Amino acid sequence: MAYSFDSELVNCIPNLQRYACKLTRDASSAEDLTQDCLARALSRSHRFEPGTNMQAWLTTMLKNLHFNNLQRDKHVTKVELWDHAMSVEPSQISSLVFRDVDRAFDSLTPCQRKVVRLVAIEGRPYQEAAEKLNVSIGTIRSRLCRARERLNNLMAA
């Protein structure tokens, strides 16, 4: 039987997924990590030497991706407007930025806040937001446009 990189890769997936779950302690993150690892492996298949241990190659790749993600996430500020919660490394700058974003968001009209939450934060389609708020899509678009403009102006100041 001839060697097949793809079939060997497929055989390694269950162990990769288990290892990703162990590293991330979150099923969704583990799925993403496994997917990233498989994409990287496929793009670098020419570097794999047939006859060597593919599971070890993939596991090392997965572990390196995970640690790279952890390093990158250390330097990213995450602001969640809908909960008014923040998860960042403590620093005065991030506190000030959050305070400014929070104040700018609070300065919007209640209608604008609802539209921003539904469309910009939760990622709902305009049609769904319009149905939920019982208004037309045009109203959703104009409220969102005015809200974004107001937020941009406040944050620029």
Side-chain angles (χ1 to χ4, degrees):
M1 186 169 136
Y3 170 79
S4 168
F5 178 87
D6 294 343
S7 63
E8 192 173 345
L9 182 69
V10 168
N11 291 335
C12 294
I13 291 175
N15 288 334
L16 270 183
Q17 288 174 324
R18 279 192 292 278
Y19 188 55
C21 279
K22 183 179 177 183
L23 287 173
T24 63
R25 294 185 172 101
D26 176 65
S28 178
S29 297
E31 217 172 278
D32 292 342
L33 182 60
T34 303
Q35 200 66 261
D36 291 344
C37 180
L38 293 172
R40 181 171 282 192
L42 287 170
S43 72
R44 290 166 173 73
S45 62
H46 62 281
R47 293 184 181 173
F48 181 73
E49 294 180 34
T52 60
N53 187 340
M54 182 178 282
Q55 188 69 55
W57 185 65
L58 292 169
T59 301
T60 300
M61 195 178 300
L62 184 100
K63 180 183 65 171
N64 290 339
L65 279 168
H66 175 65
F67 290 126
N68 289 343
N69 291 343
L70 289 176
Q71 283 299 109
R72 185 192 65 234
D73 289 347
K74 273 186 179 180
H75 303 291
V76 174
T77 301
K78 296 178 184 175
V79 178
E80 298 175 3
L81 292 175
W82 56 90
D83 289 335
H84 294 278
M86 177 173 76
S87 70
V88 295
E89 288 185 28
S91 76
Q92 288 182 333
I93 293 174
S94 59
S95 296
L96 294 173
V97 169
F98 176 72
R99 183 201 64 199
D100 292 345
V101 170
D102 193 42
R103 284 181 182 167
F105 187 74
D106 286 341
S107 77
L108 298 175
T109 67
C111 293
Q112 289 174 335
R113 281 196 299 268
K114 287 177 188 174
V115 170
V116 169
R117 273 194 187 99
L118 289 172
V119 176
I121 297 173
E122 294 177 14
R124 306 284 173 102
Y126 286 7
Q127 181 65 42
E128 185 180 327
E131 290 170 5
K132 187 167 183 152
L133 298 176
N134 201 27
V135 296
S136 71
I137 289 180
T139 302
I140 293 294
R141 287 187 177 125
S142 68
R143 285 180 185 171
L144 187 59
C145 180
R146 286 193 307 272
R148 285 178 173 157
E149 188 175 289
R150 176 138 176 86
L151 288 171
N152 283 334
N153 289 338
L154 290 169
M155 293 307 294

